[in-house]
Amino acid sequence: MGGFDTDCLVEDYELTHRLLHHAVAQGLHWRTDVVGGARARTDAPGNLGTFLRQRRRWFGGFLQTQLWYRHMIGDRRYGRLGTRMLPVKTFDTMQPLYGLTSIGLLIGNGLTGHYSVTNPVVLVISGKIGLDLLFYLWSLLLYRRWLGPSLQVTLVWAVVAALIEPFSFQVLRHGGAVLGWISFLTRQRRWGSQQRIGLIAPIQQ
């Protein structure tokens, strides 16, 4: 297939689309599978600037891929990618618009006393926090089984993460998506430097 496309900011995502496009064009019965038993550790961004650059690249590359393979949207020949995933992803291109707008409306209605609007939203957010907490606890259990007692994460931090995530991480994620739109519209093709500080020693199997 010619390897990764150096013009794309999300090389793995684009290559998956290109493989399926090639398979359909050549009448090949290829499919993409997820290896559920694979284990890996990822070094998350170590500061705010690095995080925003990462999200800028991810979202800008997502927009690139969505544009390049727009002919696959709704096409049954591409299976669930064409009929399910890509139509949903089309709406996701406007994520920063409705994400940041909803946050602004929530704050504005709360400050002006329009609680008939904010109260139902707060209930939904509370439900999301509860669901997120369950997933955090589940992921902690899985990581403890994998890494053993070396995992220095406690229940307290899982609860804190669940409580602040809608008002911190999600806002930053939408901000990164705005930068991704700017990168896409200005046709920037740079990844940007990433400061990695988390992984120090290799994992002992």
Side-chain angles (χ1 to χ4, degrees):
M1 295 301 299
F4 295 125
D5 188 337
T6 56
D7 287 332
C8 189
L9 295 174
V10 282
E11 72 295 339
D12 51 350
Y13 187 65
E14 185 277 331
L15 181 58
T16 303
H17 288 64
R18 184 152 37 101
L19 286 167
L20 184 56
H21 178 269
H22 175 80
V24 170
Q26 300 298 321
L28 304 172
H29 299 287
W30 290 359
R31 72 179 191 184
T32 302
D33 284 335
V34 175
V35 182
R39 293 180 177 182
R41 292 185 69 181
T42 181
D43 194 353
N47 54 59
L48 179 59
T50 303
F51 173 81
L52 290 176
R53 284 193 296 273
Q54 180 194 68
R55 293 290 162 161
R56 171 195 59 80
R57 179 177 69 83
W58 284 3
F59 202 84
F62 156 63
L63 294 173
Q64 282 180 316
T65 306
Q66 196 73 9
L67 176 65
W68 293 351
Y69 296 94
R70 60 189 181 278
H71 61 278
M72 296 169 60
I73 300 173
D75 193 327
R76 295 182 180 275
R77 294 180 302 165
Y78 299 101
R80 286 177 291 182
L81 176 67
T83 59
R84 299 183 189 180
M85 177 181 169
L86 286 178
V88 171
K89 289 297 184 180
T90 301
F91 288 100
D92 281 350
T93 60
M94 302 307 297
Q95 176 196 115
L97 175 63
Y98 57 69
L100 294 176
T101 299
S102 62
I103 292 170
L105 289 174
L106 178 62
I107 295 174
N109 282 291
L111 293 176
T112 56
H114 292 86
Y115 300 118
S116 61
V117 176
T118 58
N119 288 346
V121 176
V122 170
L123 288 177
V124 172
I125 293 176
S126 298
K128 180 185 182 302
I129 289 174
L131 183 63
D132 286 346
L133 180 58
L134 292 177
F135 277 109
Y136 289 152
L137 296 177
W138 181 38
S139 64
L140 283 178
L141 175 62
L142 294 178
Y143 273 106
R144 285 190 183 278
R145 288 178 179 176
W146 179 23
L147 297 179
S150 63
L151 181 64
Q152 301 298 318
V153 180
T154 65
L155 175 63
V156 173
W157 284 114
V159 174
V160 171
L163 291 175
I164 67 174
E165 188 262 356
F167 314 103
S168 55
F169 175 79
Q170 291 300 331
V171 176
L172 293 174
R173 186 169 68 90
H174 291 314
V178 170
L179 296 177
W181 260 111
I182 296 173
S183 173
F184 172 73
L185 293 174
T186 57
R187 298 188 178 185
Q188 296 180 16
R189 296 291 188 270
R190 57 184 178 83
W191 281 43
S193 61
Q194 299 292 319
Q195 182 180 1
R196 305 296 188 181
I197 60 175
L199 295 182
I200 299 175
I203 302 172
Q204 299 295 326
Q205 293 290 341

